[in-house]
Amino acid sequence: MTEQVWQALIITLQLAGVTTAILMVLGLPLAWKLSSMTSRVRPALEALVALPMVLPPTVLGFYLLVAFSPNSLPGQLWQDITGSTLAFSFSGLVLASVFYSLPFVVQPLQRAFEQLDRGLLEAAATLGASPLDRFFSIVLPQTFRPLLLAASLGFAHTVGEFGVVLMIGGNIPGETQVLSIALYDAVETQDFASAHLIAGGLIGFALVLLTALYTLDRRPSRKKEAH
Amino acid sequence: MTEQVWQALIITLQLAGVTTAILMVLGLPLAWKLSSMTSRVRPALEALVALPMVLPPTVLGFYLLVAFSPNSLPGQLWQDITGSTLAFSFSGLVLASVFYSLPFVVQPLQRAFEQLDRGLLEAAATLGASPLDRFFSIVLPQTFRPLLLAASLGFAHTVGEFGVVLMIGGNIPGETQVLSIALYDAVETQDFASAHLIAGGLIGFALVLLTALYTLDRRPSRKKEAH
Amino acid sequence: QTVSADVLRVAVASNFRPVVQELADSFSRQTGHRVTLSSASSGVLYNQIVHGAPFDVFLSADSERPAMLEKEGKLVGKPQTYAYGRLVFWQPLNAKPDYQTITEWRGRIAIANPETAPYGLAAKQVLEHFHLWGDSRIQLLQGANIQQAWQFVATGNVRAGFVALAQLRADKIDSGYLLLRDELYTPIRQDAAVIAGSKNQPLAEQFVRFLLDNAQQAFIQDAGYYPVRDVQPTRDAQPVVEPNAGSESKIESTYTQVYKG
Amino acid sequence: MLSFDIHLERSGFTLSVNEQLQLVDITGIMGPSGCGKTTLLRCLAGLEKIPGSSIQFRDVIWQRERQYLPADQRQVGYIFQDGRLFPHLNVRDNLTYGVKRRHPSSNHLTPDEVIDWLDIEALLARPVQSLSGGQRQRVAIGRALLRSPQLLMMDEPMAALDWAAKVRIIPRLRELNRRFHLPVLFVSHDREEMARLADDMLLMSNGQIADKGAVHWLLSQAQGLLADDHALSVLDGTVRKVGDYGVSELDVDGCEIVVDQDDLEPGQKVRVVVQAADISIALDDVQRISIQNRLRTTLEDIQELDDKHCLLQLRLKEQVLLALITQRARHKLALNTGMIVYAHFKAARLEVQ
Amino acid sequence: MLSFDIHLERSGFTLSVNEQLQLVDITGIMGPSGCGKTTLLRCLAGLEKIPGSSIQFRDVIWQRERQYLPADQRQVGYIFQDGRLFPHLNVRDNLTYGVKRRHPSSNHLTPDEVIDWLDIEALLARPVQSLSGGQRQRVAIGRALLRSPQLLMMDEPMAALDWAAKVRIIPRLRELNRRFHLPVLFVSHDREEMARLADDMLLMSNGQIADKGAVHWLLSQAQGLLADDHALSVLDGTVRKVGDYGVSELDVDGCEIVVDQDDLEPGQKVRVVVQAADISIALDDVQRISIQNRLRTTLEDIQELDDKHCLLQLRLKEQVLLALITQRARHKLALNTGMIVYAHFKAARLEVQ
Ligand SMILES: Nc1ncnc2c1ncn2[C@@H]1O[C@H](COP(=O)(O)OP(=O)(O)OP(=O)(O)O)[C@@H](O)[C@H]1O
Ligand SMILES: Nc1ncnc2c1ncn2[C@@H]1O[C@H](COP(=O)(O)OP(=O)(O)OP(=O)(O)O)[C@@H](O)[C@H]1O
Ligand SMILES: [Mg+2]
Ligand SMILES: [Mg+2]
C-alpha cells in the first residue's frame, strides 16, 4: 500500500502542478480579456467559464469521458496526433482538471483585474511600456495576492477533486491514481488505517503549504494604504 | 422519475440558497476579520479555512459523518438539543455544505477586502459613519462584484458538490436527495436519457442564471476609472 | 506500452477490492506478472470500459454490466460468475437480531441504492418480502453503494442497515447481525470478464481461471461470499458464529446446489 | 480649545507636538513638504494610532491613555489632500453622505447653500469618476462642510482650484467660521490663501511646531522658515467711510487707508493684507502719484535679509507694517532708524473680519 | 510642431479644438475648472479614444483615420494631475520605470541629476504609500522627466509644492526645455507659475481654445477669461550691467530696469514679469523714493475694467506695460491718453530666458 500511496502522491503533485501551470497560462489572458470586454457576449462567456462548477464532478467526468473517447471527434483527433488515447492517460487527466478547475482560477483573476486602477496602466503607457510590458510590470505585481489565491485555489481544487479524475483517469496505480482516489479507495475498502494516514498527510501537507504560502504573502503589504 | 427530479431540484435550490445565505453571513465578517488581521496566526487561520478544498468530498463527507454521529461530541450535542440526528437531515446537509463551501466564499471576499482603498473608510469615518455603517455603506458597495462572485461560487459549488451531500444526506427522496445525486444515479445505472436530461437542464439553468447575474453585474461600472 | 506486456490491469468493483487484493498478490507470486487494481463502482467501470479504458479484466459487482458489455461486443468470451454476494441485516448494538427485529423495525435503516447497487436491490427485495417497502414507519437511508450503507451504520449515525457479509468479515465482526435467508433476494451474482481491447488476453483469461480455482474460491468464501464451485470445506464450511445457524445452514445447502447447476 | 500632546514615531520621521490652541478662529498650518502637517491632522482626526498621546477638544477627551474616541465620533470634518470621493456614489450622494450621519443638534448648512457657492449644481447627478480635478476638490469641500462638523480640518483644500473659485470660497469659509463658531484647521502652501483665510497660524518644521501666533505676526516675520520674498503684514482697521469710485476709506491706527471695495458698512472691523514687497518708501509726501495709500510712519528697524534686500519695520501708532526694499534703495535714500518715511502701497486687498 | 484637430463628445461636455502649435518652447494652458485642459492633454497623449480626430507631432502621425499610434509609442512624458505612482514599487523603482523603457537615442537626463534637484535623495528606498503629498508630486515629476520624452505634458504638476520647491524646479524645467529642445505643455491655475515658466499660452474655455498667443501678451490681456486682479506684463530685455548690491540693470526698450539678481551675464536676454497691480503712476519724476524702477512712458490707452478699476496701457518704445489703478486715482491725477507718466514698480521678478 505505502508504495502505491507514494506513487499517488507524486502523481497528484505532478497533476496539480502541471494543471495549475496550464491554468495560469490560460487563465491570465482569458481573465484579462474578459475583464476588459465590453461586448454583449461577455456575460455569456462568463457563464460558460463558470459552468463546470455546477455539474457534479463525476457527471462532468462522464461527459468528458464521452468526449475523450476515441469514438468521438476530439478523442479521435488526439489519438490520430499522439497515437494514444486521451482518456485514461496523464494528459487526459490534466486536460480534464484544467477544464474543471478553470472557473476557480479565472473568476478571482477577473475580479482582481477589474479592481485594478486603470490610471496606473495609463501612467505606464506614457512611460513607454507596451501592453505586454504593462501586463507584466504593473498588472501582475498589482494583483499578486489574487493571483496567489487563484493559483492556490486551482492547485487545491485539483488535489481535492476526484470525481472527474476517477472517471477520466480510471484509477490506474502509477499512472492515473492520485492521492484523493487512493484515499477514496482506502475509505471504500474500510482500510481506515491507510485512510487516516493519507487524510492526515493531506491535511498536514495542505496546512503547511498553505500556511507557508500565506506567510509569504504577508510581505510588507502593497495594497493602497491610507495615506 | 420526473416527480423525483422535481423534488430533487427544489431541494437543491433550497440547499444552495440556504447554504449561500449562511455562507455570506458567516463569510463576510470572517473574511473582513482575516483581511484586517495582522497577527501571526493569520496564515494559520487562512490555511484552516482553505483546508476543506484539498480533501476529496466523499472523504470529507466520511469524516463529517463520524463527527455527526451521536457517538461523537458534536453529534451528541446536536441530538440533545434538537432531538434528532444531524446526519441525514436537511440541517446536516446545510452544515456540511457550509463547511465544504466556506473557502470558496471566504477567499474571494478576503482578497476583495484587502484590495479595498482604506482611505475611503477613513473618509467615511470622518463623516460620522460607525464601523458597521462603513461596512454597509462603503465596503459592501465597493466590493459588490467580488461579493457576487463569492456568492455565486458558493451557490454553484453547493449545487455541484455531491460527494459530501451523498455521504451526509442519505439520499432521501424529498428530503435530502439533491439533483446532483439523481444525476449521478442516472449515469451510474446507464440511464443516459435521464442523465442527459438532468445535465442539460442543470447546464441550461446555470447558463441562464449566470448570464442573468453577469448581465446584472454589468451596470455602469463603478470601478475606479482612469480619469 | 512495453511495460504493459507483463502488467495485468484489473478493474474491480470497489466492494470486492479488499478480497481481490490478496488474490492478485498470490497470482503475481505464481506467474511473475504484476497486477494493478483499479477500483470504482461497477457503473463507473462500465462507462470507462465502453469508452476505451485500458483494462484487461473486469470484476463487476453484478452480472448486468458484464452482460451489457458482452452485448456491445466489448468482451472476449462470456462473462463468468466468480462469487455471490451475501446480504446481512446489521444492528451493531443488538447481539442477536432476528427476522422479528426486521419486521418490527421502526425508523431509519441504511441500505445501498437499489437502483445502482446490487446489494441495494437485494435489500429492497428483503423489505418487500416483509411488506416493509414503502412503509412510512421505516425511513430508508440510501448510500450510493453498499460501502456507504455500511459507513452509515459503522459511524453510529444509523442503528441498523442491510450490508454485505463481506464487509463485516473484513472488520472481523462476528455478532450483531442476521445473515439473511438466500431465498429472500435474487442471488447477487458477480461476474468477471475479459475486455476485448486487452493486450494481455491470455494472461487475463488466466487470471479469471485463477479466480475460479478451488483455493481462491475458498478464500472468497472465507471473505463472506458464496463460491461458484464446490470447494473443499475450509474452516468456514460451517461459519464459526452464525446467530441462527440452524435455519441458515439448511437453506444454504439447498441453494448451493442450485448454484452448482 | 484644542490641546494635544502627540508623539508618533515612523521610520525616519518623528512627530512630536504639544500645544494648546484657542481655536475660536481659523488656524493655519504651514511648513515645507514632508514636515508633518498631514500627519498632525490625521492624529487629531483619530486616523492614526498614537498610544501614549493625549488630545482634548473643548471638554471632550479624544484620547488619553486607554481612552480613545474613534474618528466617527469626533464630529470633525476632514478635507483630504487626495480627495477621497466615494467612487460608488454620484456627486449628490457623496455630498449627502455626511448629512445623514450628522449630529441632529449641530448647526446646519443646507445642501442648497453649499451647492450654490461651490458652483456644482450641474454636476449633482454625475458619477465622481467623470469629474475634473477642480470639480472633485469642490465636491470634497462640500461633503466635509455638509457633515456639520464641530471642527473643520482642511488639507490643502484649494490646490486644484482656479483663482475665481478660491475668491468665491474663501469668504464663505470665514463666514462659516463666524456664523457657526466653527473652528477651522487649515493647511496650505499658499501665503496669500493663508493670509486671507487664517487668523492664527502654526509653523511646522521636521515634525515639530516651530512657531505659532497670529497670522499678522507670523507671516510678517521675514526670518526663519518662511524666509522668502513673501513677507507680508496684516493690519486691523475700521471702516470710516464708504466713498465714491467704489472704494472705502479705513482707519488704521489713525491713518487713512483706501481699499477698493464698497460693500462695507461704516464702523465695520476689517483686516488688510499688505505684501511687504508691495510697499515702497518715499522720503517726501509726494502728491501727484496714483498710489492712494501713503502712510506716515516711523522707521523702527532695518533688518538685512541678504546682501540684496532688507526688511523695514515701520510703525504706525500701534501696528507695524513690513516693507521689503533693496539694499541699493536703502543706501540711495540713506535710510536710518528713527526717520519719518512715507509707506506707499496701492489699494490693498482686504478681508472682512 | 504639433497640429491637432480633435473632437470628443461626452455627456454634457464637448471638446473641439483645431490648432497648430509651434511647440519649440513651453506652452501653457489655462482655463477655468472643467474647461477641458486635462482632457486635451489626454487626447494628445493617446489616452482617449477619439475616432475621427487627427494629431501630428513633428513628422509623425499620431492619429488619423484608422491610424493610431498607441500611447506607449508616442514618447511623451505625462505628469498626471493625480500623481499615479505605482504602489508596488518604491520611489527609486518608480523613478527608473521609464528609464528602462526609453528610446536609446533620446537625450538623457541622469537619475542623479533629477533626484538632486527634486531633493528626493532621502526618499529613494521608501514605499510610495509613505510619501507626503508634496513628496509624491516631486517623484511624479522625476518619473516623467527620466523617461526622456520628446514632448512633456504636465497637468498642474506643482499644485502641492511649497514655494521653495517651485523656485527650485521652475528654472530647471526651463533649462531642460532649452538644453534638450524638449517642448512642454503645461497646465496650471497659477498665473505666477505660468508667467515664470511658459512662453506661449492657450486659453481654454468650455472645451474650446478661446485664445492663444505669447504668454507676454495673453497674460497682460485684462479682458475676457482672465479678467481678475491678476493682469501682468512680460517684458523682454537685455542685461546691461551686473552691479553693486547684488542687483542688475537691464535694458528694456532703452529704459533702465533694476532687478534683484546678480547671477547674470551682461548681454544676456532675460524676461521680466511685472504684475499690473504692482505698478503705480506718478506724474512727476520723483527721486527720493525707494522704488528703483521709474520708467518714463506714454499713456496710450485707458480701459475701464469696472467702476473701481482701470487698466492703463503704457508704451515704452516697442513694448507695452500694463498698470492697474483705481478710478479714484485716475481722476485725482486727471489722467488722459497721450500724457507722459512715470511707471513705478519695485525691483521685479525675473526669469532668465
Ligand atoms: N505611512 C508612512 N510611513 C512612513 N513615513 C511616512 C508615512 N506617511 C508619511 N510619512 C512621512 O512622514 C513625514 C510627514 O508626512 P506628512 O504627510 O505629514 O507631510 P506634510 O507636511 O503633509 O507634507 P506635504 O506638504 O508634502 O503634504 C514625511 O516625511 C513622510 O514621508
Ligand atoms: N469620464 C468622463 N465622463 C464624462 N464627463 C467627463 C469625464 N471626464 C471629464 N469629464 C468632464 O469633462 C470636462 C472637462 O474635464 P477636464 O478634466 O478636462 O477639465 P480640466 O480643464 O482639466 O479641469 P480642472 O482644472 O478642474 O482639472 C469636465 O466638465 C468634466 O466634468
Ligand atoms: Mg500633506
Ligand atoms: Mg484637470
Side-chain angles (χ1 to χ4, degrees), chain B residues 225-227, chain D residues 123 126 129-135 138 160, chain E residues 10-13 31-40 81 155-156 187 189:
Chain B
E225 249 178 42
H227 160 66
Chain D
L123 307 176
R126 294 260 294 266
Q129 287 86 353
S130 76
L131 299 185
S132 78
Q135 289 165 343
R138 281 179 281 157
Chain E
R10 273 182 183 150
S11 56
F13 175 76
S33 168
C35 70
K37 305 178 293 296
T38 299
T39 309
L40 174 60
Q81 201 169 356
D155 200 353
E156 305 189 30
V187 171
H189 286 302

Short mmCIF file of all heavy atoms in Angstrom, two decimals, chain B residues 225-227, chain D residues 123 126 129-135 138 160, chain E residues 10-13 31-40 81 155-156 187 189, ligand 2:
data_model
loop_
_atom_site.label_atom_id
_atom_site.label_comp_id
_atom_site.label_asym_id
_atom_site.label_seq_id
_atom_site.Cartn_x
_atom_site.Cartn_y
_atom_site.Cartn_z
N GLU B 225 -11.99 54.46 -12.36
CA GLU B 225 -11.66 54.59 -13.77
C GLU B 225 -10.51 55.54 -13.96
O GLU B 225 -10.26 56.41 -13.14
CB GLU B 225 -12.85 55.18 -14.49
CG GLU B 225 -13.50 54.19 -15.42
CD GLU B 225 -14.70 54.83 -16.06
OE1 GLU B 225 -14.62 56.01 -16.45
OE2 GLU B 225 -15.73 54.16 -16.13
N ALA B 226 -9.88 55.36 -15.06
CA ALA B 226 -8.88 56.35 -15.43
C ALA B 226 -9.62 57.65 -15.58
O ALA B 226 -10.68 57.72 -16.18
CB ALA B 226 -8.28 55.96 -16.76
N HIS B 227 -9.11 58.66 -14.98
CA HIS B 227 -9.77 59.96 -15.16
C HIS B 227 -8.84 60.85 -15.94
O HIS B 227 -7.78 61.19 -15.48
CB HIS B 227 -10.06 60.58 -13.81
CG HIS B 227 -10.28 62.06 -13.92
ND1 HIS B 227 -11.37 62.56 -14.60
CD2 HIS B 227 -9.57 63.10 -13.50
CE1 HIS B 227 -11.30 63.87 -14.56
NE2 HIS B 227 -10.22 64.23 -13.92
N LEU D 123 -23.32 69.33 -11.58
CA LEU D 123 -22.59 68.05 -11.50
C LEU D 123 -23.34 67.01 -10.68
O LEU D 123 -22.92 65.86 -10.62
CB LEU D 123 -21.22 68.28 -10.85
CG LEU D 123 -20.34 69.36 -11.46
CD1 LEU D 123 -19.07 69.51 -10.65
CD2 LEU D 123 -20.00 69.01 -12.90
N ARG D 126 -23.79 63.40 -11.62
CA ARG D 126 -22.65 62.78 -12.30
C ARG D 126 -21.93 61.77 -11.40
O ARG D 126 -21.83 61.97 -10.20
CB ARG D 126 -21.65 63.85 -12.71
CG ARG D 126 -22.16 64.81 -13.75
CD ARG D 126 -21.65 64.46 -15.13
NE ARG D 126 -20.23 64.66 -15.20
CZ ARG D 126 -19.65 65.77 -15.63
NH1 ARG D 126 -20.38 66.78 -16.04
NH2 ARG D 126 -18.34 65.88 -15.66
N GLN D 129 -16.26 59.71 -10.99
CA GLN D 129 -15.13 59.41 -11.88
C GLN D 129 -15.04 60.39 -13.03
O GLN D 129 -14.00 60.54 -13.64
CB GLN D 129 -15.24 58.00 -12.48
CG GLN D 129 -14.97 56.89 -11.53
CD GLN D 129 -16.21 56.52 -10.75
OE1 GLN D 129 -17.24 57.19 -10.85
NE2 GLN D 129 -16.13 55.48 -9.96
N SER D 130 -16.16 61.01 -13.38
CA SER D 130 -16.14 61.87 -14.56
C SER D 130 -15.85 63.32 -14.22
O SER D 130 -16.00 64.19 -15.05
CB SER D 130 -17.49 61.77 -15.27
OG SER D 130 -18.46 62.51 -14.58
N LEU D 131 -15.43 63.59 -12.99
CA LEU D 131 -15.16 64.99 -12.62
C LEU D 131 -13.73 65.38 -12.95
O LEU D 131 -12.82 64.57 -12.91
CB LEU D 131 -15.39 65.18 -11.12
CG LEU D 131 -16.80 64.91 -10.60
CD1 LEU D 131 -16.88 65.27 -9.13
CD2 LEU D 131 -17.84 65.66 -11.39
N SER D 132 -13.56 66.64 -13.23
CA SER D 132 -12.21 67.16 -13.42
C SER D 132 -11.59 67.38 -12.04
O SER D 132 -12.27 67.32 -11.01
CB SER D 132 -12.25 68.46 -14.20
OG SER D 132 -12.63 69.52 -13.35
N GLY D 133 -10.29 67.63 -12.02
CA GLY D 133 -9.59 67.79 -10.75
C GLY D 133 -10.21 68.84 -9.84
O GLY D 133 -10.46 68.61 -8.66
N GLY D 134 -10.51 69.99 -10.40
CA GLY D 134 -11.07 71.08 -9.61
C GLY D 134 -12.49 70.75 -9.14
O GLY D 134 -12.89 71.10 -8.03
N GLN D 135 -13.23 70.08 -10.00
CA GLN D 135 -14.60 69.71 -9.63
C GLN D 135 -14.59 68.74 -8.46
O GLN D 135 -15.37 68.87 -7.52
CB GLN D 135 -15.29 69.08 -10.84
CG GLN D 135 -15.61 70.11 -11.94
CD GLN D 135 -15.97 69.47 -13.27
OE1 GLN D 135 -15.70 68.30 -13.52
NE2 GLN D 135 -16.56 70.27 -14.16
N ARG D 138 -13.93 70.56 -5.22
CA ARG D 138 -15.06 71.32 -4.71
C ARG D 138 -16.08 70.39 -4.06
O ARG D 138 -16.65 70.71 -3.01
CB ARG D 138 -15.70 72.14 -5.84
CG ARG D 138 -14.90 73.41 -6.11
CD ARG D 138 -15.49 74.22 -7.24
NE ARG D 138 -15.11 73.65 -8.53
CZ ARG D 138 -15.78 73.84 -9.66
NH1 ARG D 138 -16.89 74.56 -9.66
NH2 ARG D 138 -15.35 73.30 -10.78
N ALA D 160 -6.20 72.63 -6.29
CA ALA D 160 -6.53 72.43 -7.70
C ALA D 160 -7.54 73.46 -8.20
O ALA D 160 -8.08 73.32 -9.28
CB ALA D 160 -7.08 71.02 -7.92
N ARG E 10 -18.80 64.11 -24.85
CA ARG E 10 -19.15 63.41 -23.63
C ARG E 10 -20.49 63.95 -23.16
O ARG E 10 -20.86 65.04 -23.54
CB ARG E 10 -18.12 63.68 -22.54
CG ARG E 10 -16.98 62.74 -22.59
CD ARG E 10 -16.06 63.08 -21.45
NE ARG E 10 -14.89 62.23 -21.48
CZ ARG E 10 -13.73 62.63 -21.02
NH1 ARG E 10 -13.60 63.85 -20.53
NH2 ARG E 10 -12.71 61.81 -21.06
N SER E 11 -21.15 63.20 -22.32
CA SER E 11 -22.43 63.71 -21.84
C SER E 11 -22.17 65.06 -21.18
O SER E 11 -21.46 65.17 -20.19
CB SER E 11 -23.02 62.75 -20.82
OG SER E 11 -22.12 62.53 -19.78
N GLY E 12 -22.71 66.11 -21.78
CA GLY E 12 -22.61 67.42 -21.17
C GLY E 12 -21.30 68.15 -21.39
O GLY E 12 -21.06 69.21 -20.85
N PHE E 13 -20.43 67.56 -22.20
CA PHE E 13 -19.17 68.26 -22.46
C PHE E 13 -18.64 67.88 -23.84
O PHE E 13 -18.65 66.72 -24.22
CB PHE E 13 -18.13 67.87 -21.40
CG PHE E 13 -16.77 68.45 -21.66
CD1 PHE E 13 -16.51 69.78 -21.39
CD2 PHE E 13 -15.75 67.65 -22.19
CE1 PHE E 13 -15.25 70.31 -21.64
CE2 PHE E 13 -14.50 68.17 -22.45
CZ PHE E 13 -14.25 69.51 -22.16
N GLY E 31 -7.34 77.95 -17.96
CA GLY E 31 -8.78 77.99 -18.17
C GLY E 31 -9.46 77.53 -16.91
O GLY E 31 -8.85 76.84 -16.10
N PRO E 32 -10.72 77.88 -16.77
CA PRO E 32 -11.41 77.53 -15.52
C PRO E 32 -11.56 76.02 -15.34
O PRO E 32 -11.42 75.24 -16.29
CB PRO E 32 -12.77 78.20 -15.67
CG PRO E 32 -12.92 78.51 -17.11
CD PRO E 32 -11.56 78.67 -17.67
N SER E 33 -11.84 75.64 -14.11
CA SER E 33 -12.01 74.23 -13.77
C SER E 33 -13.09 73.59 -14.64
O SER E 33 -14.17 74.12 -14.80
CB SER E 33 -12.39 74.15 -12.29
OG SER E 33 -12.82 72.86 -11.97
N GLY E 34 -12.76 72.45 -15.22
CA GLY E 34 -13.75 71.73 -16.02
C GLY E 34 -13.83 72.18 -17.46
O GLY E 34 -14.71 71.77 -18.20
N CYS E 35 -12.86 73.00 -17.92
CA CYS E 35 -12.97 73.51 -19.28
C CYS E 35 -12.36 72.56 -20.30
O CYS E 35 -12.49 72.77 -21.50
CB CYS E 35 -12.30 74.89 -19.39
SG CYS E 35 -10.52 74.79 -19.26
N GLY E 36 -11.65 71.53 -19.84
CA GLY E 36 -11.15 70.53 -20.78
C GLY E 36 -9.64 70.48 -20.92
O GLY E 36 -9.13 69.85 -21.85
N LYS E 37 -8.92 71.06 -19.99
CA LYS E 37 -7.46 71.07 -20.10
C LYS E 37 -6.90 69.65 -20.00
O LYS E 37 -6.11 69.21 -20.84
CB LYS E 37 -6.85 71.93 -18.97
CG LYS E 37 -7.39 73.34 -18.94
CD LYS E 37 -6.81 74.15 -17.81
CE LYS E 37 -7.23 73.68 -16.42
NZ LYS E 37 -8.67 73.80 -16.14
N THR E 38 -7.34 68.94 -18.96
CA THR E 38 -6.85 67.57 -18.78
C THR E 38 -7.27 66.70 -19.96
O THR E 38 -6.48 65.91 -20.47
CB THR E 38 -7.42 67.01 -17.47
OG1 THR E 38 -6.97 67.82 -16.39
CG2 THR E 38 -6.95 65.59 -17.25
N THR E 39 -8.51 66.88 -20.38
CA THR E 39 -8.99 66.06 -21.49
C THR E 39 -8.15 66.29 -22.74
O THR E 39 -7.81 65.34 -23.45
CB THR E 39 -10.47 66.40 -21.77
OG1 THR E 39 -11.19 66.33 -20.54
CG2 THR E 39 -11.07 65.42 -22.75
N LEU E 40 -7.79 67.52 -23.01
CA LEU E 40 -6.96 67.81 -24.17
C LEU E 40 -5.61 67.09 -24.07
O LEU E 40 -5.17 66.42 -25.01
CB LEU E 40 -6.75 69.33 -24.31
CG LEU E 40 -5.78 69.75 -25.43
CD1 LEU E 40 -6.27 69.27 -26.78
CD2 LEU E 40 -5.58 71.27 -25.43
N GLN E 81 -2.45 64.80 -13.06
CA GLN E 81 -2.97 65.67 -12.02
C GLN E 81 -3.04 64.91 -10.69
O GLN E 81 -2.89 65.49 -9.63
CB GLN E 81 -4.38 66.16 -12.44
CG GLN E 81 -4.83 67.42 -11.75
CD GLN E 81 -6.09 68.00 -12.39
OE1 GLN E 81 -6.58 67.50 -13.40
NE2 GLN E 81 -6.59 69.08 -11.83
N ASP E 155 0.27 68.27 -16.00
CA ASP E 155 -1.06 68.69 -15.59
C ASP E 155 -1.01 69.17 -14.14
O ASP E 155 -1.03 68.37 -13.21
CB ASP E 155 -2.04 67.52 -15.75
CG ASP E 155 -3.48 67.99 -15.81
OD1 ASP E 155 -3.71 69.19 -15.60
OD2 ASP E 155 -4.36 67.16 -16.07
N GLU E 156 -0.93 70.44 -13.94
CA GLU E 156 -0.81 71.03 -12.60
C GLU E 156 0.24 70.31 -11.76
O GLU E 156 -0.05 69.77 -10.71
CB GLU E 156 -2.16 71.02 -11.88
CG GLU E 156 -3.22 71.72 -12.72
CD GLU E 156 -4.52 71.93 -11.96
OE1 GLU E 156 -4.48 72.09 -10.74
OE2 GLU E 156 -5.57 71.95 -12.62
N VAL E 187 -0.15 72.72 -17.82
CA VAL E 187 -1.43 73.22 -17.31
C VAL E 187 -1.24 73.76 -15.90
O VAL E 187 -0.59 73.12 -15.08
CB VAL E 187 -2.48 72.09 -17.25
CG1 VAL E 187 -3.74 72.55 -16.53
CG2 VAL E 187 -2.81 71.60 -18.65
N HIS E 189 -3.15 76.65 -12.78
CA HIS E 189 -4.11 77.70 -12.43
C HIS E 189 -3.39 78.92 -11.89
O HIS E 189 -4.00 79.93 -11.61
CB HIS E 189 -5.05 77.19 -11.33
CG HIS E 189 -6.06 76.23 -11.83
ND1 HIS E 189 -6.95 76.54 -12.81
CD2 HIS E 189 -6.32 74.95 -11.48
CE1 HIS E 189 -7.72 75.51 -13.05
NE2 HIS E 189 -7.36 74.53 -12.27
N1 LIG F 2 -15.21 60.30 -18.00
C1 LIG F 2 -15.94 61.43 -18.13
N2 LIG F 2 -17.24 61.35 -18.47
C2 LIG F 2 -17.98 62.46 -18.62
N3 LIG F 2 -17.50 63.69 -18.44
C3 LIG F 2 -16.21 63.85 -18.12
C4 LIG F 2 -15.37 62.73 -17.94
N4 LIG F 2 -14.15 63.16 -17.60
C5 LIG F 2 -14.23 64.51 -17.56
N5 LIG F 2 -15.46 64.93 -17.87
C6 LIG F 2 -15.94 66.31 -17.95
O1 LIG F 2 -15.25 66.94 -18.98
C7 LIG F 2 -14.99 68.28 -18.64
C8 LIG F 2 -13.52 68.56 -18.81
O2 LIG F 2 -12.79 67.87 -17.85
P1 LIG F 2 -11.25 68.09 -17.64
O3 LIG F 2 -10.79 67.09 -16.66
O4 LIG F 2 -10.59 68.09 -18.97
O5 LIG F 2 -11.23 69.55 -17.00
P2 LIG F 2 -9.99 70.42 -16.59
O6 LIG F 2 -9.96 71.56 -17.50
O7 LIG F 2 -8.77 69.59 -16.51
O8 LIG F 2 -10.44 70.93 -15.13
P3 LIG F 2 -9.60 71.04 -13.77
O9 LIG F 2 -8.86 72.30 -13.82
O10 LIG F 2 -10.67 71.10 -12.73
O11 LIG F 2 -8.74 69.85 -13.65
C9 LIG F 2 -15.45 68.48 -17.21
O12 LIG F 2 -16.69 69.14 -17.24
C10 LIG F 2 -15.62 67.09 -16.70
O13 LIG F 2 -16.66 67.04 -15.77
#
